[in-house]
Structures are given as structure tokens and as C-alpha cells.
Amino acid sequence: MIAHQRLPSRPQVQNVTKQINPLHPETGVGRESPQSGLDWRSRLQIFAAEIHDVGLRHSSALGRDDCEHMLALVALSRERERDGRQKLRALNPKRFASGVWDLARHYVMEFTNSHAVLHEGYEALPGGYKLKASEHVWNNTPDEDDWRISHSQGHHPHTNRVGKDDDLGYLLFRVSDLQPFRWYHPFQTLFLLFMPFVESVHFPLYIASARARIEGRSVWTRDTFGSAARKILRHWRINYVEEPIRARWAALQVILGNFVARHVANVMIVSMLSCEHLNGRVLDVEPDDPPLDRDEFYLQQVLTSASFTVTDHFEAVHSLGVSLHIEHHLYPRMPIGRLPMIRDEIRPICEKYEVPYDCEPWYRALWAATVTVVRHSVPWAKPSAARLERRRFWREWRDEHRARRRRQAAVAPVEEYQLQLARRGQRLPVRSDEPLLTSLERAGLSVPTLCRRGACGTCEMPLLDGEILQYGAKGRQPVVRLCSAFPRSDLCIDM
């Protein structure tokens, strides 16, 4: 069994946080200030600040142990593949069944481990050169680049946003009354039952088409599906041609074992994916309602995602980053070995501020997702009471929050500063009421981004000179997150 890596003690991590983010930059209220007398809107703003503090605490404590934890999981996955393929050649039925189970668990681990690695959460850590997303190859049918782009640029920034997040129903299922009804939706219950048998083909083709839409390309072209087709053919060649040839007299049972193992793994993977955002209670977002700042982003990620509980061993080895899905969506690039500790902090914060935190046993979550698919297979489907309550919760807070920001903007003077790009030798005008990313994109510069709300760190750059206002920091800072940093003086960044 793979144990979670040893983590810093709580006092050590808290001391780091007090140095980084003692106050909310807008309200000026500290994390430990008395809560009495605060209105509902202020409590939710401080809720977002506390959520951000959790991420800062754990990000500041990342190190070699986090990489070693993932490398140990990768090694265990490869060991299970090697043992499983050897056992498939055995005449003993029990040993053959054990081989099928080992190989199936390898496929599940390949999915969950690679899901974390392709989020680029390990590259900057000591030893992370072994876990580069751009060089990672998984034993799965979707193309790595297709998945990384479609998932990081389509799903995470637009979670459960109708028309933007293709993972809301995977272009096949209708799971929200906000989605338009199509002619094939009455058959979606049958699609769900047969999904494990076609997932090895459907998933890579779906991922490839989602990437094409994100990049503004035509879907029905060779370029769109070429990489996915090569991955599918490679998987079939290895499992149904090369491995049977190596097995010689045991070729037929190896073909059978590979087929069963792949589909057992598909059942587990589909069962987990169905529980993340499709349970009928989580928030579904209208197309024209994206979160506008980090406060809204954090709240929306909690409301649109769901976690589920499994056994400790299964969670530690097979489902980190999937079963702890709320935590993963709050911090997409966080190494998954830290998510259990983060869960123990996030859930009490949600309870403290009465923000819904969706978590239930796996079998109940799977049943809820199945009911949602069945319910929305007809055009007159209505949302559940829990989903209506989350919509009300989100809209009420959103309206209050945006009204407050408009009042602030009306009285705050707009200043203009100069942003110097040190490596380019270029200077740009920037405004105090706009994040730096907006000014850079207006100038035609391409900047890597993911959440666009200051939560993930993808657009982080070294700040060489100047002062900024940034959620969690004010004044001179060593780094700046371009999507959420507002200039307060002339700036110079290492770009």
C-alpha cells in the first residue's frame, strides 16, 4: 500500500501563511478576526480568503516528498502492469483472474496518476524533471496533448458552464435543464450502461473534438482525430497483437484477459467520472455567467464540483484527485498527495460559512448521477430542489458581490502606469482598474493562462520592481499572478 507522504506539521505551515497573507486585501479583515457583526456578503468574501490561505499554506510547503509520492505511485502502476501481463499467461484460473485485476488496476492508476501529472503540478518541484507534463506518456487511449489542452483550458476555467464546459455531459449526455434537448437524449440511459464498453474509443475522440473547439478549428478533420486514432491503434496493437504473439500457446487467453481488464478498468473510471459533476445537485452555470474574480471562482468551484468517499486504500492508490474533486478544482496544480489534508481544512471552512460541500459515499454518488441522466432524457425535465437552492445561493451572492465592486469602482480613481517587460525590452501602458493580463493581451502578447482568476498560478511571473494589489498580497512581492494583479506603481516583470 502506498502511504501519503509525510507532510509539514500544522504550526510550521501556519507560520508561513501569516507572513504571506495576514489580511484580506479588500476588506482588511484578518483570518482570525471575530465573525460577529459581519453581514452575509462579508462572510463569503472572507470565505474565499480562507480558501486561498489553505492553498498558500500547502503550496509553500511543497518539496521533494511530493514528487517522490507520485513517482512511487507511477512505479506501483508499472509493477501491476508487469505482474498482470505475466499472470495472464498462467493456466491457473485464480492466477489468471489475479492478472486481470492487476492489469485493470494499472489502467485506473494510469488515468488518475496522469491526470495529476498533466496538470503540471510537479515540474517546478525538486525531482520534478521526471514528471514533466510535456514529456509524459500514459498507457491510455486519449492523446496527452489533446487531454491537457481540453481539460486545462476548457473544463477547469468553465466548470459546468453550459456551452463552454464539454465535460458537462461529455457531448453525449444531457444532465441539466439548461442544456438544449437533442434527438438522441431519450437513449442516453442506454448510452450510460454501454459506456464502459466503448470508452476506450469514445473518450479519445471526445477529447480530440473538445480541443478542436477550444482552439477554434474545424472538428471533422484529419488533424483533429489523427493523434487520437494513433493512440487507439497503438493500444489495440499492443494488447491484441504483440502481447498474444509473445504469449504463443496462451495467445487466446491473453487476448481475453486484456479485453476484460480494459473493460473492468473502464467501469471504474466511468463510475468515478460520473460522480464529479453530474449528480444533479451541483451548480450548473448559464453560458453568460462566468466568475469575474477569484472570490467568485472559488465559490463556483465548490458549488459545481462533488467529492465522494471510498476506502482509505482505494483513495490513496487509485482515486486521489478524482474522489477529492472539490479540492482538486480549487487547486488544480496541487500535488494529489496533499489533497486529503486539504480536505480536512476545506470542509470545516464550508460548514463555517454555510457553503454547500457535496460529498457522499461512492455508490450513492453513482446512483445520483444515474438518476440525473435518466431524469434529463426527456425534454420536460426539471432541476432538483438541491440544484435550485444552489442556483439561488450563487446568484444572490454574485449579485451582492458585483454590486459592491461596482460601488468601489465608482469612487476609486483610475491611475495609469508603465509596465516594463525586462527580457523583451518593451514598455506597455497599464491601468490601475485592470489586471495586468488584460493589458498584455490587448498589446497582442500571448501569456499562458488557466483559471484567469488568480487561483492556479499558471500565469505567475517574477516581479522585479514596483507595487501591486493582488488578492492575498499588497505592495512589493517576489512574484505576480498576471490575471489577478492590479498595478499600484510603475512595474517591471521578468518576461
Side-chain angles (χ1 to χ4, degrees):
M1 175 177 176
I2 298 291
H4 300 310
Q5 74 272 38
R6 182 172 54 85
L7 298 171
S9 62
R10 186 65 61 88
Q12 174 184 350
V13 178
Q14 286 182 342
N15 288 339
V16 173
T17 303
K18 291 179 181 179
Q19 298 172 9
I20 295 177
N21 186 21
L23 298 177
H24 189 290
E26 293 183 355
T27 64
V29 178
R31 187 175 54 258
E32 300 172 355
S33 298
Q35 300 300 312
S36 59
L38 295 176
D39 64 12
W40 178 71
R41 180 183 59 194
S42 298
R43 284 200 303 268
L44 278 179
Q45 289 171 339
I46 301 171
F47 159 79
E50 291 199 25
I51 294 292
H52 187 62
D53 283 350
V54 172
L56 288 177
R57 281 202 297 274
H58 289 275
S59 295
S60 66
L62 295 177
R64 186 175 297 274
D65 286 349
D66 297 277
C67 281
E68 291 178 351
H69 172 258
M70 175 52 70
L71 291 171
L73 288 173
V74 171
L76 178 61
S77 174
R78 292 172 179 170
E79 179 183 341
R80 284 182 171 170
E81 179 188 21
R82 182 175 60 253
D83 292 347
R85 293 196 184 281
Q86 290 177 352
K87 292 176 182 178
L88 290 183
R89 305 177 187 182
L91 293 176
N92 187 318
K94 290 185 178 180
R95 187 169 175 80
F96 175 81
S98 175
V100 170
W101 181 234
D102 282 346
L103 192 56
R105 289 189 295 172
H106 156 71
Y107 287 132
V108 174
M109 292 185 69
E110 275 293 286
F111 176 80
T112 54
N113 293 345
S114 298
H115 172 260
V117 173
L118 291 173
H119 267 292
E120 305 177 1
Y122 295 89
E123 298 183 2
L125 302 180
Y129 67 92
K130 300 178 182 179
L131 297 169
K132 289 185 177 181
S134 58
E135 300 175 2
H136 185 72
V137 178
W138 61 358
N139 187 12
N140 210 335
T141 50
D143 177 74
E144 293 83 1
D145 288 337
D146 286 349
W147 188 91
R148 182 164 50 86
I149 293 173
S150 65
H151 193 71
S152 297
Q153 297 183 23
H155 174 55
H156 275 271
H158 309 290
T159 309
N160 275 22
R161 187 176 165 200
V162 176
K164 286 289 187 178
D165 180 12
D166 288 335
D167 281 9
L168 183 64
Y170 301 101
L171 299 179
L172 188 60
F173 302 104
R174 181 174 183 257
V175 292
S176 166
D177 61 293
L178 300 180
Q179 293 175 286
F181 186 82
R182 307 294 187 193
W183 64 269
Y184 50 83
H185 286 146
F187 308 101
Q188 65 182 19
T189 304
L190 293 177
F191 295 162
L192 182 65
L193 294 176
F194 285 98
M195 182 59 67
F197 300 101
V198 299
E199 185 65 7
S200 298
V201 175
H202 166 263
F203 199 52
L205 298 181
Y206 153 70
I207 292 294
S209 62
R211 176 186 177 181
R213 276 185 293 276
I214 290 170
E215 296 180 341
R217 296 185 284 108
S218 174
V219 172
W220 302 106
T221 65
R222 180 180 300 178
D223 291 340
T224 298
F225 298 109
S227 297
R230 285 190 291 272
K231 288 284 289 187
I232 295 170
L233 293 175
R234 178 181 179 275
H235 180 78
W236 288 350
R237 187 188 73 242
I238 291 174
N239 287 285
Y240 304 119
V241 179
E242 294 179 1
E243 285 298 320
I245 289 175
R246 291 193 186 100
R248 297 183 181 179
W249 56 268
L252 292 180
Q253 71 182 52
V254 167
I255 292 175
L256 175 63
N258 286 332
F259 178 85
V260 175
R262 178 71 261 183
H263 289 85
V264 169
N266 286 349
V267 169
M268 290 192 284
I269 293 171
V270 170
S271 298
M272 289 191 288
L273 293 179
S274 300
C275 300
E276 297 172 346
H277 304 284
L278 310 182
N279 67 13
R281 294 186 301 271
V282 295
L283 176 69
D284 49 353
V285 184
E286 295 177 353
D288 57 350
D289 190 20
L292 299 184
D293 59 21
R294 184 183 288 169
D295 285 347
E296 296 186 12
F297 177 80
Y298 280 137
L299 179 62
Q300 199 170 92
Q301 293 307 304
V302 174
L303 296 178
T304 56
S305 304
S307 298
F308 56 91
T309 57
V310 291
T311 64
D312 290 343
H313 175 75
F314 191 90
E315 178 182 277
V317 179
H318 298 99
S319 70
L320 282 175
V322 179
S323 58
L324 303 181
H325 212 62
I326 293 175
E327 292 72 19
H328 168 65
H329 263 258
L330 288 171
Y331 319 108
R333 301 178 72 189
M334 184 70 66
I336 59 176
R338 292 188 175 267
L339 295 183
M341 274 191 69
I342 291 175
R343 169 191 54 196
D344 295 340
E345 298 183 57
I346 295 297
R347 191 162 190 171
I349 293 174
C350 291
E351 293 173 354
K352 176 181 178 182
Y353 296 102
E354 300 180 353
V355 176
Y357 181 97
D358 199 313
C359 184
E360 61 184 350
W362 188 9
Y363 70 92
R364 289 184 181 176
L366 182 59
W367 175 252
T370 305
V371 170
T372 301
V373 171
V374 174
R375 173 183 294 174
H376 290 86
S377 62
V378 294
W380 55 84
K382 296 184 180 299
S384 64
R387 174 165 282 175
L388 289 174
E389 173 60 22
R390 293 202 182 190
R391 290 178 183 175
R392 184 205 63 78
F393 188 94
W394 160 250
R395 290 166 181 166
E396 185 173 348
W397 178 80
R398 175 203 64 191
D399 293 343
E400 291 283 349
H401 178 69
R402 294 181 183 179
R404 177 178 183 272
R405 294 185 67 87
R406 285 194 296 268
R407 290 196 298 270
Q408 288 179 335
V411 299
V414 177
E415 303 286 347
E416 291 192 358
Y417 303 104
Q418 291 293 312
L419 171 64
Q420 181 175 352
L421 309 180
R423 282 184 283 171
R424 292 174 176 262
Q426 186 176 354
R427 295 176 68 88
L428 303 173
V430 293
R431 292 163 52 99
S432 61
D433 63 337
E434 290 182 344
L436 297 176
L437 178 62
T438 301
S439 300
L440 290 169
E441 291 181 335
R442 185 188 298 121
L445 299 177
S446 177
V447 180
T449 61
L450 175 56
C451 73
R452 303 184 69 88
R453 290 153 191 101
C456 67
T458 303
C459 62
E460 201 168 75
M461 296 281 182
L463 178 62
L464 303 180
D465 190 26
E467 295 186 357
I468 59 169
L469 173 64
Q470 184 167 257
Y471 190 56
K474 187 176 183 180
R476 295 184 180 274
Q477 300 296 323
V479 295
V480 56
R481 295 189 175 184
L482 301 175
C483 65
S484 63
F486 297 82
R488 291 298 178 263
S489 70
D490 290 340
L491 302 174
C492 180
I493 62 175
D494 185 18
M495 178 179 175

